[in-house]
Amino acid sequence: MANDTIKLELEVPGDDFTRAGEASSTVKGMLKKLGFSPNVVRKVAIAMYEGEINMVIHGGGGQITVEISPESGVSMSLVDHGPGIPNIELAMQEGWSTAPDSVRNLGFGAGMGLPNMKKYSDEMEILSEVGVGTTVNMKVHLA
Amino acid sequence: METKNFFHSVTLDREKCHGCINCVKRCPTEAIRVRGGKAIIITERCIDCGECIRICPHHAKQAIFDPISIMDEYEYKIALPAPSLYGQFNNLDDVDLILGALKLMGFDDVFEVAKAAELVSDATRKYMLRPDIPRPVISSACPAVLRLIRVRFPELLENVLPLHPPIEVAARLAKRKAAQKTGLPYEKIGAIFISPCPAKVTAVKMPLGTEKSWVDGVLAIRDVYPRLISLMRHVPASQELSEAGRLGVGWGGSGGEAAAVLKERYLAADGIENVIRVLEDLEDEKFYDLDFVELNACSGGCVGGVLNVENPYVARAKLERVRKYRPVSCNRLPDEDIMPYAWESPVEYEPVLELDADLKVAMEKMKQMREIEGRLYGMDCGSCGAPSCKAMAEDIVRGFSTEESCIFKLREEIQTMADGLSRISSVLPKASQENK
Ligand SMILES: Nc1ncnc2c1ncn2[C@@H]1O[C@H](COP(=O)(O)OP(=O)(O)OP(=O)(O)O)[C@@H](O)[C@H]1O
Ligand code: SF4
Ligand SMILES: [Mg+2]
């Protein structure tokens, strides 16, 4: 049934902070138009938004691949080639953050992004290597 | 003190005024006096900050804005909602509901001021790249602050960001878009701003930085709010109307404009007293290493404007909720050109607080002022109708008051007269003196 899925490749620029959040906004709009349930739309929108913002603030930008399937739901793969996360367990803790001051004043840096991604996605894995980059895979199921 | 025919949104209801001097003491530009038991506003000094409206216990100070019926004067009407409007509603996380309700209220279109704010932020970032500009750059979006700088801090005018505020940009873009879409002439298109404060009403009627504002009318948030509340539940679901991101909506609270510059070295001060303190320190060059200074006359920023409904701190929290999960920004300039955003006419020093245009005369007046002040009692009691003995001494030198208006002076005089009387009464006429 792989042929009725829609696959999207989205570029997340790392050098223009004002563009952060655009990719997830696009996907959210598409899901709404496709008629996914508000709950699924909301879960994808929040999980992907947090991941995208992290790619920009911490990871220096990268690529997001989204696969939308009418049967199995939405899978997202967020890939950056930034500094990587040295201690994933620590990063997953609520309140842990290394965000710089310039973005804290915009309301980022509460250390809630990764915990929220975990909460709103149904499956999540983080693959990260220091100096190489970070990949976050997430899935939101239909029901 | 001549009073030119200035427009001000802040005005006095003489009937309600008790002449209690609460506002006289509060005014940051010492623009209010009490005469004949009623307050008067010295118009060229007033910056429309709204402090007197906030403090007056008798609700005698009020703001003038347009009635909702101003909409009827235009064939095609566009609402320009201020970002602070988004902070007025409970449990709201979707701006589209507000925008939809504005349409149900009778507006043909909505153009968010938050959208224009993102463009102004982009223009600001580009302006800040210029190597030759005086730093720090001081924001010019709060009209009360801009007017304060103009009368009290002329040396800082060159630091002020010479760009139009978001409302003005919103009005221009909205009207151009509407004219293209409808083919109507500009006079038939009304750009109607929904405002948190009286200063913005004045900024529309008596703009700085341009000859004429493109905004056609200004409604108060508190007038529009009850209508929106009742219309919101009739807004059809899944309308995508909002075109503003986190940066633009953030302008509604203090620090939002500065944060949108995306520089670490900035300062944001709110509340007129804090603003004055920062301006004084800037004047004395007490700060270095600052790129940007954001100043808002109201505590908490525009969510603290007197025409709002919600408490500023609650509104601030609600604004945070509304902008969560919005893209960082949804609008940027099409190219590097910031000229369409630049002031068309410079904002110049308005020497309304100077003693005299002639330095010699001013020096002489200053000397007199200090002599008079030395004779006054320094109680700053306000019963003469001036905010302080110093201000009173200045009023006397300007020919606007007399020393006898000071009740302590008056008492002194009565005392002297009484002493004289008792002295006279103790002197018996020669004829009645006993011969010894
Ligand atoms: N893609 C990434 N590359 C490198 N480090 C990351 C990445 N994503 C997260 N981190 C690290 O994990 C920390 C926690 O991330 P999390 O998203 O939970 O919080 P935050 O981004 O700091 O703040 P918030 O998401 O609440 O705005 C970050 O501060 C950062 O140190
Ligand atoms: S801070 Fe905002 S609401 Fe207050 S006077 Fe300035 S512009 Fe108006
Ligand atoms: Mg994060």
Side-chain angles (χ1 to χ4, degrees):
Chain A
M1 282 290 166
N3 47 345
D4 56 4
T5 65
I6 298 175
K7 194 169 166 181
L8 299 170
E9 302 272 358
L10 301 145
E11 205 57 41
V12 178
D15 55 353
D16 185 356
F17 185 61
T18 67
R19 294 194 180 268
E22 281 182 1
S24 32
S25 190
T26 310
V27 172
K28 181 182 172 187
M30 276 188 78
L31 294 179
K32 267 192 179 176
K33 245 192 207 107
L34 289 167
F36 277 87
S37 79
N39 189 38
V40 170
V41 177
R42 184 176 146 78
K43 282 165 73 176
V44 173
I46 295 178
M48 184 170 158
Y49 179 89
E50 294 285 10
E52 181 184 354
I53 298 286
N54 279 356
M55 288 172 70
V56 180
I57 296 179
H58 312 292
Q63 295 78 36
I64 300 180
T65 313
V66 182
E67 278 187 50
I68 305 168
S69 147
E71 284 94 32
S72 60
V74 184
S75 346
M76 298 154 263
S77 178
L78 291 73
V79 182
D80 69 57
H81 305 285
I85 306 173
N87 185 339
I88 294 180
E89 206 183 318
L90 189 61
M92 285 300 299
Q93 278 178 20
E94 290 188 4
W96 169 262
S97 172
T98 61
D101 281 344
S102 56
V103 302
R104 285 182 189 269
N105 301 308
L106 285 168
F108 298 114
M112 289 304 292
L114 287 171
N116 270 339
M117 286 154 75
K118 176 108 196 126
K119 179 171 154 199
Y120 287 98
S121 61
D122 297 305
E123 289 171 43
M124 169 162 141
E125 71 173 340
I126 304 177
L127 311 163
S128 189
E129 197 176 325
V130 174
V132 178
T134 302
T135 296
V136 179
N137 296 318
M138 290 183 287
K139 231 175 145 143
V140 171
H141 301 161
L142 281 193
Chain B
M1 242 171 255
E2 91 276 28
T3 42
K4 280 186 238 161
N5 214 2
F6 263 110
F7 171 86
H8 280 293
S9 173
V10 174
T11 47
L12 179 81
D13 182 342
R14 278 184 65 87
E15 294 279 291
K16 289 187 180 159
C17 176
H18 290 208
C20 66
I21 70 151
N22 274 302
C23 61
V24 173
K25 289 240 165 209
R26 183 72 183 203
C27 177
T29 54
E30 300 194 329
I32 312 174
R33 299 291 183 276
V34 171
R35 288 286 177 276
K38 302 286 176 189
I40 56 163
I41 302 176
I42 304 166
T43 50
E44 63 270 29
R45 287 191 181 186
C46 171
I47 57 169
D48 290 281
C49 64
E51 284 299 300
C52 54
I53 298 182
R54 254 180 221 120
I55 190 105
C56 178
H58 312 291
H59 306 290
K61 285 287 191 337
Q62 55 198 14
I64 301 181
F65 35 85
D66 294 310
I68 290 184
S69 60
I70 194 170
M71 287 168 71
D72 306 337
E73 291 172 22
Y74 299 91
E75 208 161 296
Y76 190 87
K77 15 195 182 285
I78 314 154
L80 313 178
S84 41
L85 176 68
Y86 306 166
Q88 310 297 312
F89 304 89
N90 284 327
N91 302 323
L92 183 87
D93 38 29
D94 192 356
V95 171
D96 291 339
L97 276 181
I98 304 174
L99 307 184
L102 282 167
K103 286 194 156 181
L104 293 180
M105 208 181 126
F107 286 100
D108 298 289
D109 200 2
V110 181
F111 194 104
E112 297 173 87
V113 175
K115 178 182 163 98
E118 295 190 338
L119 294 167
V120 176
S121 287
D122 198 8
T124 306
R125 289 191 288 269
K126 298 205 157 95
Y127 173 77
M128 305 265 303
L129 293 175
R130 295 190 184 166
D132 52 331
I133 51 165
R135 276 164 216 273
V137 171
I138 303 173
S139 65
S140 55
C142 171
V145 170
L146 184 57
R147 280 158 182 75
L148 175 70
I149 296 177
R150 192 172 70 129
V151 299
R152 257 183 84 167
F153 301 94
E155 300 90 298
L156 295 175
L157 273 174
E158 60 171 19
N159 292 62
V160 171
L161 182 69
L163 301 181
H164 292 305
I167 342 160
E168 196 52 42
V169 171
R172 292 179 186 201
L173 294 175
K175 287 189 81 161
R176 286 204 193 106
K177 184 177 145 201
Q180 259 174 17
K181 185 174 151 192
T182 62
L184 288 170
Y186 283 143
E187 315 85 76
K188 299 205 167 164
I189 303 168
I192 301 183
F193 176 55
I194 299 169
S195 178
C197 73
K200 287 185 164 141
V201 183
T202 305
V204 165
K205 313 275 178 198
M206 298 271 297
L208 295 178
T210 186
E211 290 305 316
K212 193 182 177 310
S213 170
W214 284 51
V215 179
D216 300 293
V218 185
L219 305 180
I221 285 184
R222 64 159 186 245
D223 280 359
V224 175
Y225 175 82
R227 302 204 177 201
L228 294 183
I229 284 284
S230 59
L231 289 169
M232 268 162 83
R233 68 188 107 105
H234 306 297
V235 173
S238 80
Q239 280 196 78
E240 295 242 15
L241 297 172
S242 180
E243 293 177 11
R246 200 180 259 253
L247 294 183
V249 176
W251 273 65
S254 173
E257 180 191 0
V261 176
L262 304 178
K263 294 255 189 200
E264 297 209 352
R265 300 184 309 180
Y266 76 75
L267 177 159
D270 53 290
I272 195 76
E273 271 152 30
N274 297 327
V275 166
I276 291 172
R277 220 171 298 148
V278 168
L279 287 169
E280 259 153 17
D281 287 353
L282 282 169
E283 213 173 33
D284 303 344
E285 296 185 15
K286 284 205 186 136
F287 301 111
Y288 29 92
D289 267 8
L290 269 185
D291 287 319
F292 193 82
V293 175
E294 175 186 333
L295 302 171
N296 289 289
C298 298
S299 296
C302 293
V303 285
V306 285
L307 304 181
N308 285 308
V309 182
E310 186 55 276
N311 160 301
Y313 300 98
V314 178
R316 181 73 193 266
K318 292 181 179 173
L319 208 60
E320 280 306 314
R321 172 164 176 183
V322 165
R323 71 176 188 154
K324 211 171 176 194
Y325 306 128
R326 294 290 303 164
V328 169
S329 176
C330 302
N331 302 279
R332 46 190 68 73
L333 303 189
D335 49 45
E336 297 302 304
D337 184 15
I338 65 169
M339 279 319 283
Y341 295 82
W343 285 344
E344 289 107 39
S345 43
V347 173
E348 275 155 5
Y349 176 38
E350 196 63 46
V352 296
L353 301 175
E354 266 178 14
L355 282 171
D356 204 285
D358 182 333
L359 185 63
K360 280 210 185 98
V361 183
M363 294 282 288
E364 191 47 46
K365 286 186 175 170
M366 176 61 80
K367 267 190 214 144
Q368 289 173 22
M369 232 179 91
R370 295 178 58 158
E371 277 167 29
I372 298 169
E373 206 192 332
R375 289 200 293 274
L376 296 174
Y377 281 70
M379 306 283 285
D380 292 341
C381 70
S383 33
C384 60
S388 65
C389 295
K390 193 170 178 194
M392 165 70 162
E394 190 180 325
D395 284 357
I396 296 171
V397 168
R398 289 179 188 269
F400 194 56
S401 191
T402 57
E403 267 183 65
E404 290 71 46
S405 313
C406 168
I407 57 164
F408 295 98
K409 277 305 217 193
L410 193 65
R411 199 180 61 171
E412 210 176 80
E413 220 142 279
I414 293 171
Q415 187 71 56
T416 320
M417 279 165 70
D419 288 353
L421 281 179
S422 86
R423 193 164 28 81
I424 295 166
S425 67
S426 68
V427 179
L428 295 173
K430 278 265 187 300
S432 67
Q433 281 176 6
E434 276 175 48
N435 284 324
K436 288 220 171 132

